[in-house]
């Protein structure tokens, strides 16, 4: 397919030069930080955010623990599925990386020989962010914020057009939201089954339902302390 942006008069290319131009004016150490953050750091931060959300749901427990974990589990599954959907999209569009068609870009990371549209990094981070938002709004807003920062970093690094990033955001969001109902319908019963397990149930809440029920005191029943006091009084 034809390149989506070939002229410097294209707003997509103009924005690319404006954002990437910041890298030329920044000191070298800052560019190295942006390279790490844009290539690995924000992906790692998203993984830690998902784990943090899971830990919060597990600690809180409650009747909605299993549905919440099911919604949370869908986030990384949706991100992986979105990347697979992107494979034929990239092959169909066949858009070269911006530094192959435009001179003067400050490319912070080398070795990018695949096609540019759409950005895998933007797709993954936005899918995780939106998936987190479905499970927990507070963590989800933080995740979406990290995804937006990831998109900026990819353009700043000179490896993607802005529309590559926007396309990744749209793809990640679409996969999460469109497939969320059937995915949660399948995952929620599975998480409820895990919750009932004496050992694996700790992945859903701190104390499995079986253990909690075993320690529960029935109405009218005497506690061990009350029983001992009455026996001593007799």
């Amino acid at each position: 397919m034809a390149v989506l942006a070939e002229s410097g008069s294209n707003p997509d290319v103009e924005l690319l030069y404006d954002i990437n131009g910041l890298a030329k004016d920044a000191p070298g150490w800052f560019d190295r930080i942006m390279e790490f953050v844009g290539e690995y750091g924000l992906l790692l931060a998203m993984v830690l955010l998902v784990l943090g959300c899971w830990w919060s749901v597990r600690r809180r427990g409650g009747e909605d623990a299993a549905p919440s974990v099911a919604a949370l589990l869908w986030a990384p599954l949706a991100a992986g599925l979105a990347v697979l959907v992107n494979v034929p999209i990239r092959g169909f569009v066949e858009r070269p990386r911006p530094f192959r068609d435009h001179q003067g870009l400050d490319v912070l990371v080398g070795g990018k020989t695949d096609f540019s549209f759409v950005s895998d990094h933007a797709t993954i981070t936005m899918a995780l962010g939106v998936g987190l938002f479905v499970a927990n709004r507070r963590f989800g807003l933080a995740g979406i914020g990290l995804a937006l920062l990831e998109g900026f970093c990819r353009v700043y690094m000179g490896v993607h057009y802005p529309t590559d990033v926007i396309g990744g955001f749209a793809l990640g969001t679409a996969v999460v939201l469109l497939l969320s109902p059937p995915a949660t319908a399948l995952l929620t019963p599975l998480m409820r089954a895990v919750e009932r397990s004496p050992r694996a149930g700790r992945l859903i809440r701190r104390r499995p339902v079986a253990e909690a029920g075993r320690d529960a005191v029935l109405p009218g029943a005497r506690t061990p302390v009350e029983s001992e006091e009455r026996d001593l009084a007799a």
Side-chain angles (χ1 to χ4, degrees):
M1 295 294 293
V3 178
L4 297 182
E6 296 179 350
S7 171
S9 62
N10 188 305
D12 192 25
V13 179
E14 291 179 355
L15 187 57
L16 165 67
Y17 275 107
D18 288 341
I19 296 177
N20 182 255
L22 299 174
K24 294 183 178 181
D25 299 331
W29 61 266
F30 184 79
D31 285 348
R32 300 287 78 77
I33 291 176
M34 290 293 287
E35 175 187 348
F36 174 79
V37 169
E39 194 73 7
Y40 307 107
L42 288 172
L43 291 177
L44 177 60
M46 292 296 299
V47 171
L48 294 177
L49 195 62
V50 171
L51 292 176
C53 184
W54 165 75
W55 186 261
S56 175
V57 170
R58 175 184 176 274
R59 183 180 59 184
R60 186 176 65 248
E63 294 297 326
D64 62 341
S68 297
V69 173
L72 183 59
L73 181 60
W74 170 235
L77 293 177
L81 180 59
V83 172
L84 292 178
V85 173
N86 189 28
V87 173
I89 294 177
R90 279 193 169 190
F92 178 75
V93 176
E94 294 184 344
R95 185 186 202 181
R97 295 280 180 171
F99 53 80
R100 292 186 176 274
D101 291 324
H102 305 284
Q103 303 298 320
L105 293 174
D106 190 7
V107 183
L108 302 187
V109 57
K112 299 295 183 180
T113 58
D114 55 344
F115 295 121
S116 183
F117 186 88
V118 297
S119 168
D120 277 339
H121 281 73
T123 300
I124 293 172
T125 52
M126 186 55 75
L128 290 173
V130 175
L132 275 171
F133 187 81
V134 172
N136 184 290
R137 289 190 176 183
R138 180 166 58 92
F139 281 93
L141 289 174
I144 292 173
L146 290 178
L148 294 174
L149 180 58
E150 178 67 76
F152 175 83
C153 288
R154 302 307 289 176
V155 181
Y156 181 95
M157 295 162 62
V159 294
H160 280 292
Y161 294 97
T163 48
D164 296 338
V165 170
I166 295 173
F169 289 164
L171 176 59
T173 301
V175 170
V176 172
L177 297 183
L178 291 178
L179 299 180
S180 179
T184 53
L186 293 173
L187 292 173
T188 298
L190 177 61
M191 292 302 100
R192 290 195 185 280
V194 173
E195 185 181 25
R196 290 192 293 268
S197 172
R199 294 184 179 179
R202 297 181 183 275
L203 296 173
I204 309 299
R205 61 170 74 191
R206 283 190 296 182
R207 299 187 67 195
V209 176
E211 291 186 11
R214 207 167 42 235
D215 296 338
V217 179
L218 297 176
R222 292 187 301 172
T223 64
V225 175
E226 291 176 345
S227 179
E228 291 178 4
E229 288 179 353
R230 293 190 180 185
D231 290 342
L232 290 176

